[in-house]
């Protein structure tokens, strides 16, 4: 066997029509004899076979087979193409395809000799000189074997130098088997690693007429071509380790961070479930983390200083409970309460709505640039919470909305919508105006237009209260005093609500008397919900008091009640007079008795 080292050998076999069947069988035998003398294997010599005529056919590539038995079986299965003789095309295919890394050729840095053995019996029908030169320049050593009618000039044009060692001409196909032994010696040659001091640190690999050094697995050859350095298998980043890559000799292993373990794929990591050990002592929930675990309480509970037990939380202070009047914490939960005289609604949060009477309410909201879009959405929510207080109906309370900045716009008049749901939907669809703050102009618009009968305000003769609520977040850019005065003089009850940089002097100028009951202020948009309750107590005063009931003395029920109360009072007085008379008689009898006793003693 040839033991001089690994080779990449590709047989390029002429199967043109000039090669007769029995001659092709001799070529099969020739290839098998050569292969039989080689030490074949994935890390030893690799062999590929292509045949050509007018076209090129790959029989098997360098990566296909690694045993002589598989190679011989494939060679015996070759069916000749029996066409022309396109030798140049075959060399081109060998260079571009057969000796590519995709087809099993080992990379150039491994310095594995690439050998092409071309066997032909005729003159090429295409040019071979140029493509053969390209192949040799690409590192392919070409042996040209001609039989019978082969053209010597073409053989010399294809073969590598020195030509006397790479060009062979055989007189007949019968003699090619005898030539195989001679050719075999050319391939194997002398083991150069045994005949001279090679200087390789690890392994010396003999090649025909030369040798090269190779490193053991886990090492790479240095620039001097002889010494070796260990390979950092983690450095190229292709290790696939999720956490840590640790290099070992010629290989690597994956490791995980503390608190994780390596999965069965030996690359990915999973966090250790410390809670599953069953020794955490958490009253409610155990949560695993890479450093161990911690205890967590269910919603409505707070973790105690021992970091294990839980206690009910005062949810009224810890969540957005939504209670309209008062929130009362219970064990792990909370409930809403209403003031005396009011009932909790079906939602469990709101209290009974304002039922004191019907009003025409116009809300005038600031849409200036200083409000900002996110706060304007909070203003709209504030408006809708006020609407929730009211009994809106065609003949009950009516609501209109005006927005202002540098100009004034009626969003919807008093007679536009007749239910709270319609109004709230329209409010949420209002678009933010931005720009300036012309509060005086807005008040003028409210007086002249919003409370006009053409926009739905009921006549003054109906005695329906007219209420205006002005919402602003800053100083007005025009005078407000005149139209604030006119609004109140026209019978409109004015409320002023200020947020942030609103000016108290202006709010008081807008508000009706008593001023303290008609103006409110909040430092921030997110904390202005309490203003809704203030507004409710002022427009629904009997619900704030909860005890006083004022009734007309002319109503029938009132007269009956008055008569009943009067009779009760008179009866009470009569009973008291009878008792007084009895007491007086007893006292008189007592005095008479005392007088008799005094007279007797005298």
């Amino acid at each position: 066997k040839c033991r001089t080292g690994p080779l990449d050998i590709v047989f390029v076999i002429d199967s043109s029509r000039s090669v007769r069947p029995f001659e092709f069988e001799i070529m099969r035998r020739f290839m098998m004899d050569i292969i039989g003398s080689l030490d074949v294997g994935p890390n030893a010599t690799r062999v590929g076979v292509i045949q050509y005529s007018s076209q090129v056919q790959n029989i098997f590539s360098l990566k296909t087979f690694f045993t002589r038995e598989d190679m011989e079986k494939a060679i015996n299965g070759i069916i000749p193409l029996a066409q022309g003789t396109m030798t140049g095309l075959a060399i081109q295919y060998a260079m571009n395809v057969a000796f590519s890394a995709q087809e099993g050729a080992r990379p150039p840095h491994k310095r594995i000799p690439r050998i092409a053995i071309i066997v032909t019996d005729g003159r090429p029908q295409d040019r071979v000189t140029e493509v053969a030169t390209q192949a040799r320049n690409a590192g392919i050593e070409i042996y040209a074997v001609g039989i019978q009618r082969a053209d010597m000039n073409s053989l010399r044009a294809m073969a590598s130098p020195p030509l006397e060692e790479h060009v062979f001409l055989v007189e007949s196909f019968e003699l090619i088997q005898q030539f195989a032994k001679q050719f075999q010696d050319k391939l194997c040659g002398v083991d150069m690693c045994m005949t001279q001091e090679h200087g390789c640190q690890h392994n010396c690999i003999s090649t025909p007429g030369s040798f090269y050094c190779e490193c053991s697995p886990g090492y790479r050859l240095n620039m001097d071509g002889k010494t070796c350095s260990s390979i950092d298998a983690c450095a190229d980043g292709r290790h696939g380790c999720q956490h840590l890559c640790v290099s070992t000799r010629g290989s690597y292993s994956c490791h995980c961070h503390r608190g994780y373990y390596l999965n069965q794929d030996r690359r990915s990591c999973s966090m250790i479930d410390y809670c599953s050990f069953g020794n955490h002592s958490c009253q409610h929930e155990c949560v695993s983390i890479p450093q161990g675990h911690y205890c967590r309480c269910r919603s409505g509970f707070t973790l105690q200083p021992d970091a294990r037990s839980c206690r009910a939380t005062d949810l009224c202070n810890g969540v957005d409970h939504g209670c309209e009047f008062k929130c009362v914490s219970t064990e792990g939960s909370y409930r809403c309460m209403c003031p005396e005289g009011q009932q909790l609604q079906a939602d469990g949060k709101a209290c009974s709505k304002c039922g004191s009477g019907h009003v025409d309410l116009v809300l005038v909201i600031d849409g200036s640039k200083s409000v900002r879009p996110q706060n304007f959405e909070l203003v709209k929510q504030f408006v809708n919470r006020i609407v929730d207080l009211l009994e809106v109906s065609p003949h009950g309370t009516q609501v209109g909305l005006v927005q202002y900045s540098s100009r004034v716009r009626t969003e919807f008049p008093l007679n536009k919508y007749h239910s709270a749901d319609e109004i709230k939907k329209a409010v949420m669809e209002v678009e933010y105006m931005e720009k300036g703050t012309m509060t005086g102009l807005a008040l003028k618009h409210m007086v002249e237009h919003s409370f006009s009968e053409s926009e739905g305000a009921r006549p003054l003769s109906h005695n329906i209260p007219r209420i205006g609520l002005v919402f602003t977040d800053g100083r007005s850019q025009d005078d407000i005093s005149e139209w604030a005065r006119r609004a109140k003089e026209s019978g409109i009850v004015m409320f002023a609500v200020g947020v942030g940089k609103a000016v108290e002097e202006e709010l008081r100028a807008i508000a009706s008397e008593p001023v303290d009951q008609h103006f409110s202020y909040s430092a921030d948009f997110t904390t202005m919900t309490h203003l809704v309750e203030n507004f409710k107590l002022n427009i629904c005063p009997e619900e704030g008091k909860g005890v006083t009931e004022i009734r007309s003395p002319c109503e029938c029920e009132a007269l009956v009640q008055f008569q009943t109360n009067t009779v009760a009072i008179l009866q009470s007085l009569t009973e008291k007079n009878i008792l007084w008379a009895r007491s007086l008689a007893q006292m008189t009898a007592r005095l008479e008795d005392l007088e008799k006793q005094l007279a007797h003693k005298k």
Side-chain angles (χ1 to χ4, degrees):
K1 303 297 180 186
C2 184
R3 301 291 182 183
T4 59
L7 305 170
D8 285 346
I9 299 177
V10 174
F11 289 94
V12 183
I13 304 302
D14 182 356
S15 65
S16 60
R17 66 174 64 91
S18 62
V19 180
R20 289 170 290 187
F22 77 90
E23 294 173 338
F24 195 81
E25 292 304 316
I26 296 174
M27 293 175 68
R28 290 185 209 268
R29 187 72 260 167
F30 166 72
M31 287 188 285
M32 288 190 287
D33 286 347
I34 296 295
I35 292 171
S37 67
L38 301 173
D39 182 19
V40 296
N43 298 316
T45 295
R46 300 182 182 181
V47 178
V49 176
I50 62 175
Q51 66 167 335
Y52 73 95
S53 59
S54 297
Q55 59 187 0
V56 180
Q57 180 186 32
N58 181 46
I59 305 303
F60 58 86
S61 63
L62 292 168
K63 66 179 181 180
T64 306
F65 302 122
F66 297 112
T67 65
R68 285 185 294 276
E69 291 76 12
D70 290 336
M71 295 177 185
E72 290 177 2
K73 183 178 179 180
I75 291 171
N76 284 326
I78 299 174
I79 300 175
L81 299 172
Q83 296 175 357
T85 311
M86 303 295 287
T87 310
L89 181 64
I91 297 173
Q92 183 80 41
Y93 182 90
M95 177 176 63
N96 293 338
V97 179
F99 282 108
S100 67
Q102 291 81 359
E103 292 297 311
R106 282 160 287 194
H109 73 268
K110 287 187 174 292
R111 302 179 65 177
I112 305 296
R114 296 181 174 183
I115 298 174
I117 302 174
I118 303 173
V119 183
T120 180
D121 79 327
R123 184 187 298 275
Q125 295 176 337
D126 56 355
R127 296 182 178 180
V128 297
T129 303
E130 182 178 349
V131 69
T133 301
Q134 294 175 358
R136 293 193 299 269
N137 291 339
I140 301 173
E141 185 177 3
I142 300 176
Y143 286 86
V145 181
I147 304 172
Q148 287 185 341
R149 299 170 295 277
D151 178 54
M152 177 57 77
N153 290 331
S154 297
L155 298 176
R156 295 173 66 87
M158 292 186 288
S160 296
L163 296 179
E164 60 271 17
E165 294 183 7
H166 292 82
V167 177
F168 302 92
L169 182 61
V170 182
E171 295 179 358
S172 67
F173 279 92
E174 290 80 359
L175 297 175
I176 193 171
Q177 284 183 289
Q178 299 177 11
F179 160 74
K181 177 63 173 69
Q182 178 186 359
F183 187 74
Q184 194 177 82
D185 293 340
K186 291 288 185 184
L187 284 179
C188 294
V190 179
D191 187 347
M192 301 298 292
C193 293
M194 300 294 294
T195 59
Q196 64 183 57
E197 183 62 35
H198 52 75
C200 297
Q201 182 180 355
H202 284 187
N203 306 312
C204 176
I205 308 299
S206 182
T207 61
S210 185
F211 70 91
Y212 66 89
C213 297
E214 187 176 76
C215 296
S216 301
Y219 294 84
R220 65 165 58 90
L221 196 64
N222 294 327
M223 295 295 293
D224 61 7
K226 296 182 181 295
T227 59
C228 300
S229 298
S230 61
I231 297 172
D232 183 359
C234 298
D236 61 6
R238 294 181 295 178
H239 48 78
C241 297
Q242 183 180 355
H243 285 185
L244 306 172
C245 178
V246 179
S247 288
T248 56
R249 181 177 296 180
S251 186
Y252 66 90
S253 60
C254 296
H255 292 242
C256 297
H257 293 308
R258 180 186 174 188
Y260 293 80
Y261 63 89
L262 197 65
N263 293 323
Q264 291 184 353
D265 61 7
R266 314 306 298 170
R267 284 177 169 78
S268 61
C269 299
S270 295
M271 190 172 68
I272 298 172
D273 184 4
Y274 289 100
C275 294
S276 65
F277 298 163
N279 58 352
H280 51 75
S281 302
C282 297
Q283 182 180 351
H284 283 185
E285 300 172 2
C286 175
V287 181
S288 289
I289 56 175
Q291 295 77 26
H293 75 279
Y294 68 91
C295 296
R296 181 172 63 191
C297 297
R298 292 191 293 270
S299 177
F301 292 82
T302 302
L303 194 66
Q304 297 304 292
D306 63 4
R308 288 180 172 83
S309 58
C310 300
R311 185 177 179 182
T313 303
D314 182 3
L315 289 180
C316 291
N317 293 325
V319 300
D320 183 13
H321 51 76
C323 295
E324 182 178 338
F325 177 71
K326 184 178 181 181
C327 175
V328 178
S329 291
T330 60
E331 182 73 14
S333 184
Y334 66 91
R335 60 186 176 89
C336 298
M337 290 184 63
C338 292
E340 182 180 356
Q342 298 186 41
Q343 292 184 345
L344 196 64
Q345 298 295 292
D347 63 0
K349 298 179 184 295
C351 297
S352 54
K353 296 184 179 180
C354 178
S356 62
H358 305 151
V359 298
D360 284 346
L361 171 64
V362 174
L363 297 112
V364 183
I365 60 175
D366 186 348
S368 61
K369 186 176 182 180
S370 60
V371 174
R372 301 186 181 278
Q374 63 271 26
N375 291 331
F376 190 72
E377 294 301 313
L378 295 176
V379 173
K380 292 194 289 185
Q381 294 175 21
F382 174 80
V383 170
N384 280 346
R385 292 198 66 175
I386 291 177
V387 174
D388 284 334
L389 300 175
L390 309 171
E391 292 286 357
V392 179
S393 67
H395 303 292
T397 293
Q398 298 184 139
V399 179
L401 182 65
V402 173
Q403 183 186 176
Y404 73 95
S405 58
S406 298
R407 55 190 179 87
V408 184
R409 181 172 73 203
T410 297
E411 300 295 352
F412 53 84
L414 286 166
N415 58 0
K416 177 73 172 179
Y417 301 112
H418 304 299
S419 72
D421 289 340
E422 290 179 314
I423 293 173
K424 290 165 67 176
K425 182 176 184 294
V427 169
M428 296 313 295
E429 293 174 352
V430 170
E431 294 184 357
Y432 179 37
M433 293 175 69
E434 297 192 47
K435 298 190 178 178
T437 311
M438 303 294 285
T439 311
L441 183 63
L443 290 169
K444 180 177 184 294
H445 180 91
M446 180 194 71
V447 173
E448 294 183 341
H449 300 283
S450 300
F451 281 108
S452 66
E453 293 183 23
S454 62
E455 292 203 1
R458 285 164 286 196
L460 292 173
S461 60
H462 289 188
N463 293 321
I464 303 296
R466 295 182 174 184
I467 297 177
L469 188 150
V470 178
F471 183 98
T472 181
D473 84 322
R475 182 183 295 276
S476 176
Q477 294 174 338
D478 61 351
D479 181 62
I480 65 166
S481 58
E482 179 182 356
W483 286 101
R485 177 179 54 79
R486 289 196 187 186
K488 288 176 280 191
E489 288 177 352
S490 67
I492 302 171
V493 178
M494 295 299 298
F495 287 84
V497 177
V499 176
K501 296 182 179 179
V503 180
E504 182 178 352
E505 180 184 353
E506 292 185 352
L507 297 175
R508 289 181 172 273
I510 294 172
S512 294
E513 294 291 343
V515 173
D516 290 340
Q517 294 182 13
H518 291 81
F519 104 93
S520 303
Y521 174 79
S522 178
D524 187 79
F525 282 90
T526 59
T527 60
M528 63 185 182
T529 53
H530 70 279
L531 302 181
V532 176
E533 185 63 26
N534 294 344
F535 182 70
K536 177 180 179 180
L537 292 175
N538 284 295
I539 65 171
C540 308
E542 80 292 348
E543 296 196 15
K545 298 171 184 174
V547 292
T548 304
E549 182 179 17
I550 302 173
R551 307 181 69 180
S552 170
C554 298
E555 292 181 4
C556 179
E557 292 181 2
L559 290 173
V560 172
Q561 185 66 48
F562 175 76
Q563 181 180 4
T564 302
N565 292 343
T566 302
V567 170
I569 293 171
L570 289 174
Q571 184 177 355
S572 176
L573 290 174
T574 301
E575 291 175 352
K576 289 180 179 178
N577 287 335
I578 292 172
L579 292 173
W580 179 78
R582 289 176 180 174
S583 297
L584 182 60
Q586 290 174 355
M587 289 180 65
T588 301
R590 180 68 175 165
L591 287 172
E592 290 177 352
D593 185 53
L594 288 172
E595 287 177 354
K596 290 177 179 180
Q597 291 179 8
L598 288 172
H600 179 73
K601 287 180 179 182
K602 289 178 179 181

